[in-house]
Amino acid sequence: MDRPFAITLPVGSSRANHTGSWRVERPVYVDHLPPCNDACPAGENIQRWLYHAESGDYEAAWRILVEENPLPAIMGRVCFHPCESACNRVRVDEAVGINAVERFLGDTALARGWRLPDPGPDSGRRVLVVGAGPAGLSATYHLRRAGHAVTLVEGAARLGGMMRYGIPAYRLPRAVLDAEVERILEMGVEVVLGRSVKDIAAARDEFRADAVFLAVGAQLGRRVSIPAGDSAKMIDAVTFLHQVAEDDPPLLGRHVVVYGGGDTALDAARTARRLGATDATIVYRRNRAKMPAHAEEVEQALGEGVTVRWLSTIERFEGERLLIEKMALNAEGFPEPTGELEELDADALVLALGQDTDLSLLEGSEVHVADGVVPVAESMMTDVPGVFAGGDVAPSDRTATVAVGHGKRAAKGIDAFLGDRSFERPERHPLAAFERLNTWYYADAPRTQRPELERIRRQTNFEEVVGGLTEDNALFEARRCLSCGNCFECDNCFGVCPDNAVIKLGGGDRYEIDYDYCKGCGICVAECPCGAIEMVPERI
Amino acid sequence: MLQQLEGSRAVAETVARCRPEVVCAYPISPQTHIIEAIGAMVKDGRLAPCEFINVESEYAAMSVSIGASAAGARAYTATASQGLLFMIEAVYNAAGLGLPVVMTLANRAIGAPINIWNDHSDAMAVRDAGWIQLFAETNQEAADLHVQAFRLAETLSVPVMVCMDGFILTHAVEAVDLIDQAVVDSFLPPYEPRQVLDPDDPVSIGAMVGPEAFEEVRYLAHLRQLDALELIPSVAEEFAALTGRASGGLLHPYRLDDAETVIVAMGSVLGTIKDAVDARRATGERVGVLGVTTFRPFPVAAVADALAGARRVIVVEKAFSLGMGGVLATDVATASPASGPELATVVAGLGGRPITRRDVEGVLGRSAQGTLPRLSFLNLDEDVVARERARMAASRRSGPFAENVLRDLAAGGANR
Amino acid sequence: MTETRVHFYQVGSFAVGNRLLSDADRTVQASRERTNSLDAGHRACQGCGEALGARYALDAAMRATGGRLVAVNATGCLEVFSTPFPETSWRIAWLHSLFGNAPAVATGVAAAMRAKGRDDVRVVGQAGDGGTVDIGFGALSGMFERHDDVLFICYDNEGYMNTGVQRSAATPPTARTATSEAVGADPGNVFGQGKDLPRIAMAHDIPYVATATVADLHDLERKVERAMTFRGARYLHVLVPCPLGWGAASADTVRLARLAAESGFFPVFEAEHGVVTGVRRIRRRVGVEEYLRPQRRFAHLFAGEGRPDLVARLQLIADANVERYGLAPEEE
């Protein structure tokens, strides 16, 4: 068109002017490690599976979840969710209910019959897994995925380890446990039940195993010496819970005292209540703040009528009377005896003072044992090549989730060992700290509470106490995720760029900076809700 | 068909026949009757489609016209004096953007002191704005020039200002032959803009132009003015062929053949001057008149031709550049050959002071006697001036001189 | 069994888009098909709020009008940085005439469209605060009063930034500009009423008046869309922080706009036919100090012993806004 010279210009011609040359810093997209992922002992990619759950694609979410952990319905119940303690959303309102969503996904998978991934192509190698608790089952799953044959040897009559014999059914219904265990077995696992391995080297030979994973757990209740009369009925909590799990509960009477302050103590007290004890009293030497048991477990126990004698130790147990001594915190915050005594009615005393590992199967082997546990390398391998150990056997926190993580890492270690490769942990991204976030953009949304069984019903039966989320609630909860450190395609960068220098790729492919025009103002970085962009100096 | 019409009415009727699509109105004497009349025609539907907009200032009047013209509409407004000065930024802008707005300028003095009567100071103030400036001698010509103005403006993409003397023409009732609608329609095709705001073919109009192209832009605008010098006579001829009227064109020569003394002037005063010339011719003096119809672009070559035989040229003009002298005279001097005629400037008719035939004859007489200075002011009251000068010399706080002069005159010479 | 749709989205109400939102709930800016009315390659400073605000508003207007839009621009930063010969950043029909006449030019365009029977084409006039509240004020008021079919948008960066940061009638009290230096006993701009153009516009009883900021895109786009449902004169006043003139980090443009609204210093509301019909309530209220501190134009309020007396007076302005418009956050 014949337009007046200079006064009238054709549209969009400024794209010839590459303003990117003004830039001294450039924005780059990054992926940082969300604190939930960082905190998960099982190494779950929580942020990633929440991302799929947010869109209602639960199967995709579940599939990403079981990449790392084959027991989501169980973990959604028994995991003490360090992910939620680490969650950045705590500083906005409340942590995302990750555990509840995990349980929702796990339950949905069971209800809809989703199957775990097929085993990998047969490697021709066999691994002996000793112990079918969370560590052993996790290792079995990951080994099968890598194509290795697995022989799973378990001393008890049924699979599950502490998940079956330590955790009461009101926290973990057996149908859920059975279903998730069964799903692993469907991958093709040789199972030997009721067989205690006595000699690790012999067992390795017997099962012609190329490697061994030792995950026998910590099944021995720790004892302390308490002066007690002959008639005093004392039992350790592990044995007590095991007997209950086998439908053979011991008779403890109406007044039950539990000694200890861990989760097991609470499990024992709550179980005693359900078996008919009119009062279940926990005696613990320190105060509530110092109690190692998880706060919500304590809450639930108190709600069920369990009482706690804080700052108390047991002096003597004679017949139906228990003598306890009051403690006081000294200047350093440690409890010290006061000499003040008190009496308690007690038909039975349950000792929940910790557990030890039965490592007699290592006697005569070259596997090193120190302080009652087996030191392992990063690959979970002991100092005997081909022998790996994990779960409560290895030094670390003793939780089911840690055990699951150990099982996975051991499986990878074993896979590397069998393939004659060195074991390398995947590189971790820098942490997506709260300071990187721009929380303005997240809608205010307090977390959804999971329904709880009414108290009166909890006192008399072993029905599950904590319910699951409805789908709506699970979706809501998933969508509370801040997606720390990882782009979730909110379009902010695309929108807030004054120079139209962000290219939206769409369809899950996120964005690209158009460095021809980006002037490096940094608004995209400042306004990225999840901290997935950062400025780096421009190279000149 | 001749009708007795007020000049403003004649212009309004003619403008309406040019089918303007947007007309802006802001009252200022002496143009107000024009836009009042057009407003009534829009209101009663005689002029349609047309948007008549009562703006809040002359600045807005020209700005609305700019917007309308850039959007492809035929735009018209009218103003005078202070109004023109108030819109002057937009006047330049319309020209710079090449928008063919047509505006009537009812010429009026510029204050202070405030004065509503006729002179040409307002037109001279926008001499360099880039508009074509046409001066009407009569109401018939004023009306006719508007038809030609739209044609010129839209052909060249240059705005056109039709200047007509305030009150002397705008308020005078004379016989005017209003042009037929059919004639206008055949003469003035619908506006086809060179550039237009169109969502279907978007462009950016009004870019910022730096040193790298500004001179070229201005020079191109200058060339377009020179193109207008070619176009204006041909449009006038075409108009004459349709109407039989010699309205418009570059110049109106009168009795120039063999003229030794030529008076150059613009606007309605030409009638008076022609009467004076006729009277002097009757006594055998070889005098003539050159009416300048097209002041911008200034027809340098045509003026030079017209003055080729003159020995004395007297520019009678209703404006001047303070501290320098004639404005039109400066242009005439530029157009005159180097060895050309003796040039005198007579500033006359400021603020509506009458110019009579006797006055003009007096000027011619002084010129013939060789007593006409190079620059003179017609009928200047030297006594009033002298007394005010004396007051100023005597006292620092001598007061405002316009009011002093009025007091002197009211005293009827008692102070003399 | 009842089905309830889950309405909540993780960033749905605040971010530009989100893959989980339906198309209708996403902003125009979230779309790859947005007009980019103001395209890349313009010469605005890094982090220019006005460039952002103009694209936001005009893209929304383009969607609302189905692309039948003409924009008229006053002289100022937006005009200068977008159309230096030989390049223009505009992708829409656009006209620049002068500094003080954009409302009138827009009127002319609208009149031309009406005369030509092009009622489908809508007109936007736009200017900075100087071109709106100062030099263009008369023309704007005339446009309002005549009820011309124009949406006029003021991109308010609170000063004459194009000419080197001078004071305008929209400059807040105490702010340092090149013509209100931070020296003497009363440093910075004077305390006064300023020229509250949204309220002046409301006094014209035009059908729609709204304020917005570049920090709340959903709100801004909705207001443009709402404005386009009316015929006649409409006014939108958008706060657009200026990193250069405010002495702020280029990355802080959106944040400062947010703080301006969240402190109550810049009230965000809308009015129809002269009556306030909606306010954007404060979500996380902050004191004005949090808004002022990151800006060097207010540095003299905090240097040395500072001027807590002046900060307190500025806080009173914010408090008065909160009171006048009912901006206080909703009770929990």
Side-chain angles (χ1 to χ4, degrees):
Chain A
M1 178 175 153
D2 164 39
R3 297 193 182 96
F5 171 70
I7 291 165
T8 302
L9 304 172
V11 295
S13 41
S14 68
R15 293 194 74 87
N17 182 32
H18 286 188
T19 53
S21 61
W22 303 10
R23 199 173 52 237
V24 293
E25 282 185 305
R26 62 165 56 198
V28 290
Y29 289 97
V30 292
D31 282 297
H32 280 195
L33 182 64
C36 51
N37 291 11
D38 181 55
C40 179
E44 288 182 21
N45 192 342
I46 295 165
Q47 183 268 322
R48 193 73 198 153
W49 58 252
L50 282 173
Y51 177 87
H52 288 284
E54 285 157 24
S55 63
D57 189 349
Y58 305 123
E59 182 163 356
W62 180 80
R63 295 215 167 274
I64 287 168
L65 205 173
V66 299
E67 281 291 311
E68 314 298 335
N69 183 344
L71 306 171
I74 297 172
M75 290 301 135
R77 290 171 165 83
V78 307
C79 180
F80 290 113
H81 42 74
C83 51
E84 294 185 20
S85 308
C87 177
N88 277 332
R89 183 134 201 159
V90 169
R91 291 169 66 174
V92 177
D93 38 42
E94 292 174 90
V96 175
I98 297 168
N99 186 243
V101 180
E102 179 173 36
R103 171 169 163 181
F104 170 78
L105 293 175
D107 288 354
T108 303
L110 292 175
R112 300 200 188 162
W114 296 335
R115 302 188 49 162
L116 293 171
D118 290 335
D122 191 358
S123 69
R125 315 299 284 273
R126 176 170 293 275
V127 180
L128 172 63
V129 176
V130 184
L137 287 166
S138 166
T140 299
Y141 165 72
H142 287 287
L143 288 165
R144 287 300 295 129
R145 291 197 60 195
H148 306 304
V150 174
T151 302
L152 180 58
V153 179
E154 167 58 48
R158 307 186 65 180
L159 299 177
M162 277 298 182
M163 297 186 294
R164 184 178 300 279
Y165 296 109
I167 298 172
Y170 60 83
R171 278 176 55 202
L172 175 58
R174 295 312 183 234
V176 172
L177 172 63
D178 292 342
E180 290 209 318
V181 169
E182 183 57 33
R183 206 168 48 196
I184 294 173
L185 300 186
E186 283 170 5
M187 297 173 82
V189 180
E190 188 189 332
V191 178
V192 181
L193 289 172
R195 164 84 184 267
S196 293
V197 173
K198 304 290 187 198
D199 178 334
I200 192 77
R204 187 174 178 176
D205 290 345
E206 177 190 345
F207 293 104
R208 290 192 295 281
D210 300 295
V212 179
F213 179 50
L214 187 61
V216 295
Q219 317 250 9
L220 301 177
R222 200 172 287 158
R223 292 271 182 166
V224 289
S225 156
I226 292 173
D230 292 342
S231 61
K233 189 185 290 178
M234 284 209 282
I235 186 169
D236 70 83
V238 180
T239 306
F240 169 54
L241 292 171
H242 193 108
Q243 288 176 359
V244 174
E246 287 190 324
D247 269 344
D248 185 21
L251 295 172
L252 299 182
R254 292 157 57 82
H255 308 293
V256 177
V257 174
V258 180
Y259 196 20
D263 290 313
T264 307
L266 292 164
D267 285 344
R270 295 174 71 187
T271 298
R273 284 282 286 160
R274 282 169 172 76
L275 292 173
T278 52
D279 54 70
T281 306
I282 291 172
V283 174
Y284 177 54
R285 58 193 290 267
R286 299 201 286 178
N287 62 5
R288 186 165 178 176
K290 300 271 186 185
M291 199 174 195
H294 290 86
E296 59 195 87
E297 295 288 316
V298 178
E299 273 307 313
Q300 287 176 7
L302 294 175
E304 290 168 13
V306 171
T307 55
V308 185
R309 307 302 289 259
W310 309 105
L311 288 166
S312 304
T313 55
I314 294 176
E315 269 295 296
R316 263 198 316 278
F317 183 28
E318 283 173 349
E320 292 162 3
R321 310 181 70 72
L322 197 67
L323 210 58
I324 61 175
E325 180 177 7
K326 302 296 290 176
M327 308 290 279
L329 293 181
N330 66 13
E332 284 82 46
F334 290 105
E336 281 179 355
T338 61
E340 189 187 329
L341 298 177
E342 221 179 300
E343 282 190 353
L344 278 182
D345 288 341
D347 296 324
L349 174 63
V350 181
L351 299 174
L353 300 164
Q355 287 122 263
D356 289 322
T357 310
D358 181 359
L359 293 174
S360 58
L361 76 170
L362 294 179
E363 283 166 19
S365 81
E366 286 169 16
V367 176
H368 180 60
V369 177
D371 298 328
V373 288
V374 179
V376 289
E378 204 170 41
S379 65
M380 309 303 290
M381 191 158 79
T382 66
D383 46 14
V384 174
V387 177
F388 295 73
D392 291 353
V393 173
S396 81
D397 286 350
R398 287 175 169 174
T399 70
T401 320
V402 168
V404 167
H406 282 184
K408 178 178 78 174
R409 185 148 27 120
K412 306 219 178 214
I414 291 166
D415 186 51
F417 170 78
L418 295 178
D420 207 15
R421 285 174 281 111
S422 62
F423 174 81
E424 275 167 22
R425 293 191 76 173
E427 202 182 322
R428 285 164 91 82
H429 291 130
L431 192 66
F434 181 78
E435 289 66 31
R436 294 183 61 86
L437 308 182
N438 186 337
T439 60
W440 170 264
Y441 290 100
Y442 300 103
D444 308 288
R447 74 186 281 166
T448 317
Q449 295 297 332
R450 285 190 260 193
E452 286 191 14
L453 195 64
E454 304 112 274
R455 266 176 212 172
I456 192 72
R457 287 173 64 196
R458 287 197 244 155
Q459 289 162 15
T460 52
N461 67 27
F462 283 84
E463 259 185 71
E464 189 167 21
V465 170
V466 180
L469 297 178
T470 64
E471 180 182 343
D472 277 359
N473 289 344
L475 201 57
F476 177 93
E477 205 53 42
R479 289 174 177 186
R480 293 183 65 245
C481 173
L482 308 180
S483 193
C484 306
N486 292 271
C487 172
F488 59 106
E489 297 182 78
C490 72
D491 296 331
N492 257 21
C493 52
F494 179 60
V496 300
C497 176
D499 295 293
N500 312 9
V502 174
I503 299 165
K504 178 175 174 175
L505 301 173
D509 293 331
R510 300 179 171 183
Y511 312 88
E512 254 173 32
I513 305 289
D514 187 342
Y515 293 111
D516 280 351
Y517 301 107
C518 168
K519 293 171 185 162
C521 69
I523 296 180
C524 56
V525 175
E527 301 306 319
C528 176
C530 65
I533 319 176
E534 63 190 21
M535 298 301 283
V536 299
E538 192 63 54
R539 287 182 300 275
I540 301 168
Chain B
M1 187 188 73
L2 283 173
Q3 300 175 60
Q4 287 291 334
L5 284 174
E6 188 195 47
S8 295
R9 164 64 67 172
V11 168
E13 291 288 347
T14 306
V15 167
R17 288 166 204 206
C18 294
R19 304 189 189 279
E21 291 162 300
V22 175
V23 173
C24 300
Y26 189 81
I28 182 169
S29 298
Q31 64 78 29
T32 314
H33 290 182
I34 301 173
I35 49 102
E36 284 172 354
I38 295 175
M41 284 186 267
V42 174
K43 198 87 177 162
D44 72 11
R46 277 173 58 207
L47 174 52
C50 178
E51 295 296 319
F52 182 82
I53 302 178
N54 282 294
V55 290
E56 74 284 352
S57 71
E58 288 88 355
Y59 181 58
M62 185 47 59
S63 299
V64 170
S65 302
I66 287 168
S69 186
R74 182 168 289 163
Y76 169 81
T77 190
T79 192
S81 181
Q82 317 293 145
L84 180 69
L85 264 62
F86 193 43
M87 68 163 66
I88 197 163
E89 186 192 21
V91 168
Y92 270 75
N93 189 251
L97 292 173
L99 299 174
V101 176
V102 169
M103 175 164 69
T104 306
L105 181 66
N107 298 107
R108 173 185 143 179
I110 292 170
I114 187 167
N115 175 298
I116 66 166
W117 309 105
N118 168 245
D119 70 27
H120 289 170
S121 305
D122 50 5
M124 295 302 117
V126 295
R127 182 189 64 179
D128 302 330
W131 286 57
I132 292 173
Q133 289 180 300
L134 307 175
F135 278 78
E137 183 178 337
T138 64
N139 280 348
Q140 181 67 61
E141 186 170 40
D144 291 345
L145 280 178
H146 283 87
V147 186
Q148 297 184 30
F150 281 111
R151 170 81 177 270
L152 290 167
E154 292 170 10
T155 305
L156 295 164
S157 293
V158 173
V160 178
M161 191 181 297
V162 178
C163 302
M164 62 190 293
D165 286 320
F167 293 107
I168 298 170
L169 292 182
T170 57
H171 288 57
V173 176
E174 288 183 348
V176 175
D177 187 358
L178 285 180
I179 191 165
D180 285 346
Q181 183 69 62
V183 174
V184 177
D185 289 345
S186 70
F187 182 78
L188 185 60
Y191 173 36
E192 185 59 51
R194 186 174 175 212
Q195 55 176 349
V196 67
L197 293 168
D198 179 1
D200 291 330
D201 181 19
V203 288
S204 299
I205 301 177
M208 180 181 186
V209 178
E212 71 278 24
F214 193 80
E215 187 168 318
E216 285 71 23
V217 170
R218 301 305 289 174
Y219 184 69
L220 285 163
H222 174 64
L223 288 183
R224 243 176 313 150
Q225 292 277 329
L226 299 187
D227 292 342
L229 287 177
E230 306 291 321
L231 186 63
I232 290 167
S234 71
V235 165
E237 278 166 32
E238 192 182 328
F239 187 85
L242 285 169
T243 64
R245 293 196 293 273
S247 297
L250 300 176
L251 301 169
H252 286 329
Y254 183 74
R255 303 189 84 164
L256 282 189
D257 297 341
D258 78 354
E260 290 181 343
T261 302
V262 178
I263 298 181
V264 180
M266 300 193 295
S268 61
V269 75
L270 284 167
T272 307
I273 294 171
K274 285 176 184 172
D275 286 350
V277 163
D278 288 345
R280 302 303 286 193
R281 278 274 181 185
T283 66
E285 285 183 37
R286 289 158 68 179
V287 296
V289 185
L290 182 63
V292 175
T293 311
T294 300
F295 175 63
R296 280 292 178 274
F298 193 72
V300 173
V303 169
D305 275 357
L307 299 180
R311 289 174 53 203
R312 284 180 299 276
V313 172
I314 306 163
V315 180
V316 175
E317 57 178 310
K318 294 184 172 181
F320 76 109
S321 172
L322 276 70
M324 197 286 173
V327 181
L328 175 62
T330 305
D331 293 349
V332 170
T334 302
S336 300
S339 57
E342 201 176 284
L343 194 71
T345 305
V346 178
V347 178
L350 294 185
R353 178 166 296 188
I355 304 171
T356 63
R357 194 184 89 183
R358 185 188 304 270
D359 291 333
V360 178
E361 287 192 56
V363 167
L364 285 170
R366 286 194 291 284
S367 174
Q369 292 157 16
T371 58
L372 186 65
R374 284 181 58 84
L375 175 64
S376 61
F377 291 76
L378 189 69
N379 295 335
L380 185 72
D381 188 333
E382 302 280 1
D383 286 347
V384 168
V385 171
R387 271 200 304 284
E388 176 65 6
R389 299 274 291 177
R391 265 196 299 274
M392 286 170 67
S395 161
R396 177 72 200 152
R397 303 193 68 166
S398 57
F401 57 76
E403 284 73 4
N404 290 343
V405 167
L406 285 175
R407 230 180 354 260
D408 277 355
L409 293 172
N415 296 345
R416 296 185 185 200
Chain C
M1 191 178 137
T2 56
E3 273 192 350
T4 359
R5 195 172 157 256
V6 176
H7 290 292
F8 170 78
Y9 297 101
Q10 123 196 103
V11 294
S13 7
F14 304 104
V16 170
N18 188 319
R19 69 197 169 98
L20 301 175
L21 291 173
S22 70
D23 281 347
D25 292 329
R26 297 184 201 192
T27 64
V28 175
Q29 289 303 313
S31 168
R32 281 190 285 185
E33 279 72 49
R34 72 187 189 202
T35 307
N36 284 330
S37 304
L38 180 67
D39 208 348
H42 63 69
R43 290 145 198 249
C45 303
Q46 291 164 319
C48 175
E50 189 173 32
L52 198 54
R55 196 188 72 224
Y56 282 179
L58 291 174
D59 282 3
M62 282 293 279
R63 183 169 80 171
T65 61
R68 324 302 295 161
L69 191 75
V70 173
V72 172
N73 214 123
T75 308
C77 282
L78 180 59
E79 166 265 323
V80 168
F81 72 62
S82 65
T83 55
F85 167 82
E87 294 155 2
T88 174
S89 306
W90 299 102
R91 303 202 77 91
I92 58 175
W94 180 92
L95 170 66
H96 160 245
S97 171
L98 294 167
F99 196 4
N101 71 352
V105 175
T107 289
V109 175
M113 293 303 171
R114 199 162 55 243
K116 290 179 169 300
R118 293 294 306 272
D119 282 346
D120 56 323
V121 178
R122 307 300 300 276
V123 182
V124 167
Q126 49 183 6
D129 50 296
T132 304
V133 308
D134 282 345
I135 197 170
F137 181 68
L140 184 61
S141 178
M143 188 277 277
F144 286 163
E145 166 275 318
R146 288 186 303 270
H147 201 35
D148 297 328
D149 190 18
V150 172
L151 168 62
F152 199 85
I153 304 175
C154 171
Y155 304 109
D156 178 8
N157 58 18
E158 303 185 334
Y160 291 92
M161 304 318 186
N162 187 41
T163 44
V165 192
Q166 293 85 19
R167 176 214 184 266
S168 81
T171 302
T174 77
R176 178 268 165 202
T177 72
T179 51
S180 61
E181 281 292 353
V183 293
D186 299 307
N189 190 30
V190 294
F191 272 90
Q193 296 305 309
K195 217 185 272 186
D196 189 342
L197 205 61
R199 289 173 63 212
I200 295 171
M202 283 168 63
H204 289 76
D205 264 3
I206 57 177
Y208 192 71
V209 173
T211 67
T213 77
V214 288
D216 192 340
L217 178 60
H218 289 266
D219 179 69
L220 171 58
E221 290 189 350
R222 188 185 56 73
K223 284 169 174 170
V224 171
E225 204 157 308
R226 179 75 183 147
M228 283 303 179
T229 64
F230 294 96
R231 288 279 171 175
R234 292 142 288 145
Y235 181 68
L236 180 61
H237 190 104
V238 186
L239 184 72
V240 292
C242 169
L244 176 80
W246 294 15
S250 61
D252 277 348
T253 297
V254 173
R255 176 176 157 242
L256 284 174
R258 189 157 54 234
L259 289 172
E262 291 294 286
S263 64
F265 204 66
F266 182 86
V268 179
F269 67 94
E270 61 191 319
E272 295 183 7
H273 303 288
V275 178
V276 174
T277 53
V279 299
R280 187 198 155 285
R281 298 179 82 153
I282 290 170
R283 186 165 163 234
R284 300 177 187 168
R285 190 163 184 190
V286 296
V288 290
E289 186 171 337
E290 194 169 326
Y291 167 58
L292 304 173
R293 266 195 186 273
Q295 307 178 47
R296 276 200 310 281
R297 63 177 174 156
F298 295 112
H300 52 283
L301 302 182
F302 305 105
E305 290 178 12
R307 291 296 301 269
D309 55 328
L310 299 181
V311 175
R313 288 184 72 181
L314 293 169
Q315 182 64 53
L316 287 179
I317 294 174
D319 294 347
N321 284 334
V322 171
E323 179 70 20
R324 183 195 303 274
Y325 296 103
L327 302 175
E330 285 178 50
E331 297 297 322
E332 297 293 338

